[in-house]
Amino acid sequence: NNEDMIRRLQTACFSALMQVDAWFLMNPPWKQVSREANNAGNFAPDWQKLEAQCREITQLRMQLVPYLYSSFVRYHERGTPPFRALVMDYPADPQVWKIDDQFMVGESLMVAPVVAGESSRKIYLPKGDWVDFWTGKSVAGGQTITMQVPLNIIPVFVKSGTLLPLARPGLHARAPEALQVSVRVYGKGDRAFTLYEDDDSTLDALRGKYNRTVLTWDDSSKQGHVERIGREDFPRYEIVGWEQA
């Protein structure tokens, strides 16, 4: 059903590979989720609404590409998986040892997927300060909360202090708008973030051919700072704005 499709796509948005396997359908699944009706060309009466919901989710994925790319660079350099169980980040917290329905995405995002039929779910927040990605509301860690989950929401919490780069969504990762980044500041923004620029077509980055764009935030003056390290002639990120969550 439509709800199940939305919930699956939300989880895929925060996975290593966001992909819709619809090889068995003649038409996009958001036009008709029933296989038999889809292949007969009978679209659901409200398919445009479902398509719009799916578009919002895929646009969020495209916004996250700069953050995810930096997470994969960290994976290459340090061996830390971009998508991982909470226990990897909080090994001393017994509460996370058996949690298998929440996970970290990169250094700063924690995701708690929802399945069809759920209107609320319990979420454990490890120690530290967290911010709801959708509302900007701060929540203290070290506790379990119950969160209402309307269909347009997958619970995502951001570590306070994070500088989260969000690209303008484009049709692909090298569209011109995909290099235009707004930085969302959480808390005091004291966790610097590094973006990576390379040629996007070879493995030269593994030999050090890349630029780094370091983002920092001065909370006293409420100003962001950008430092580019490297002189490679690659397409460059353009920081188009800073906003506090």
Side-chain angles (χ1 to χ4, degrees), residues 3-144:
E3 181 186 3
D4 183 60
M5 179 177 175
I6 288 293
R7 292 307 191 190
R8 288 174 181 269
L9 194 60
Q10 287 172 338
T11 302
C13 178
F14 291 94
S15 67
L17 176 63
M18 185 178 183
Q19 177 173 301
V20 177
D21 285 320
W23 56 267
F24 53 90
L25 299 176
M26 291 187 64
N27 304 284
W30 41 82
K31 290 189 174 183
Q32 174 59 262
V33 296
S34 168
R35 178 175 181 173
E36 183 176 343
N38 185 301
N39 291 337
N42 298 323
F43 298 162
D46 61 343
W47 71 264
Q48 292 93 341
K49 179 181 178 181
L50 180 59
E51 181 185 59
Q53 292 173 311
C54 292
R55 181 181 294 113
E56 288 184 1
I57 299 169
T58 54
Q59 286 179 335
L60 174 59
R61 173 68 172 205
M62 296 307 295
Q63 286 184 282
L64 290 169
V65 166
Y67 174 80
L68 295 174
Y69 191 75
S70 292
S71 298
F72 274 97
V73 172
R74 188 174 295 108
Y75 184 27
H76 170 72
E77 293 180 344
R78 307 179 189 177
T80 305
F83 306 87
R84 56 189 182 273
L86 299 186
V87 69
M88 290 194 67
D89 289 63
Y90 303 94
D93 185 349
Q95 296 296 320
V96 308
W97 292 352
K98 294 184 178 181
I99 292 179
D100 58 5
D101 60 354
Q102 297 175 218
F103 56 91
M104 296 297 299
V105 177
E107 299 295 301
S108 300
L109 303 183
M110 183 181 67
V111 180
V114 180
V115 298
E118 290 185 334
S119 59
S120 66
R121 67 153 292 172
K122 291 183 177 181
I123 301 168
Y124 178 71
L125 299 171
K127 289 183 179 179
D129 295 324
W130 298 86
V131 182
D132 187 320
F133 176 83
W134 303 105
T135 67
K137 179 182 178 181
S138 296
V139 186
Q143 62 170 327
T144 298

Side-chain angles (χ1 to χ4, degrees), residues 168-182:
R168 290 181 177 173
L171 291 178
H172 53 86
R174 280 304 183 188
E177 58 269 36
L179 293 172
Q180 297 177 335
V181 171
S182 295

Side-chain angles (χ1 to χ4, degrees), residues 59 61-67 69-70 165-183 195-200 211-213 215 226 228 232-242:
Q59 286 179 335
R61 173 68 172 205
M62 296 307 295
Q63 286 184 282
L64 290 169
V65 166
Y67 174 80
Y69 191 75
S70 292
L166 295 171
R168 290 181 177 173
L171 291 178
H172 53 86
R174 280 304 183 188
E177 58 269 36
L179 293 172
Q180 297 177 335
V181 171
S182 295
V183 184
L195 295 164
Y196 293 86
E197 303 163 343
D198 59 35
D199 64 10
D200 196 39
N211 298 325
R212 289 180 291 151
T213 299
L215 310 175
V226 180
R228 177 169 281 103
E232 302 293 342
D233 185 22
F234 300 141
R236 296 186 171 189
Y237 284 111
E238 177 188 1
I239 308 304
V240 298
W242 300 74

